[in-house]
Amino acid sequence: MKKIAYGIVIFLSSLGYSCKNGHGNLSLNTIDTETGFKFIADYDEDKTGKIEKYLDSALNNELPLDQNIDLLVNLNSTEKFNLKAQKGRLEINFDKRNSSLAGYKKVKQLTKGIQKRLLEQ
């Protein structure tokens, strides 16, 4: 029963983040399971620069989000997440099985910051 309730919460959360803003389409999806965390954002290409600046600042790393990239990003010396990006699309995959709770919280905080910037007008 817990798994069904958990699945419903994840599904409703994903639906809740999907929306349409005045400038175009915006889709934000978060999938949080026992073994992993996945964040997918599809957004107007003109917001790519804003997201790039935020990630560069938050991660102390320059990431060219306007190019097609697929790379591992270091959170700290032991934990990493996979980042795939191109103009108008960003995907973050975090494996909870090989990571700490602190790393998981940092990735969640990072994705909340991305969501905030994408929802700004």
Side-chain angles (χ1 to χ4, degrees), residues 5-19 27-32 37-40 108 115:
Y6 190 71
I8 291 170
V9 168
I10 291 171
F11 175 73
L12 291 175
S13 296
S14 294
L15 283 178
Y17 286 122
S18 297
C19 65
S27 175
L28 302 170
N29 295 299
T30 303
I31 302 166
D32 195 346
F37 178 82
K38 185 173 190 174
F39 173 78
I40 303 169
K108 278 194 73 162
Q115 290 175 15

Side-chain angles (χ1 to χ4, degrees), residues 15 19 27 30 36 62-63 70 87 90 92 98 103 105 120:
L15 283 178
C19 65
S27 175
T30 303
E62 291 186 25
L63 301 170
D70 183 356
K87 275 190 172 184
L90 176 73
I92 292 175
N98 300 319
K105 287 181 178 180
E120 292 173 347

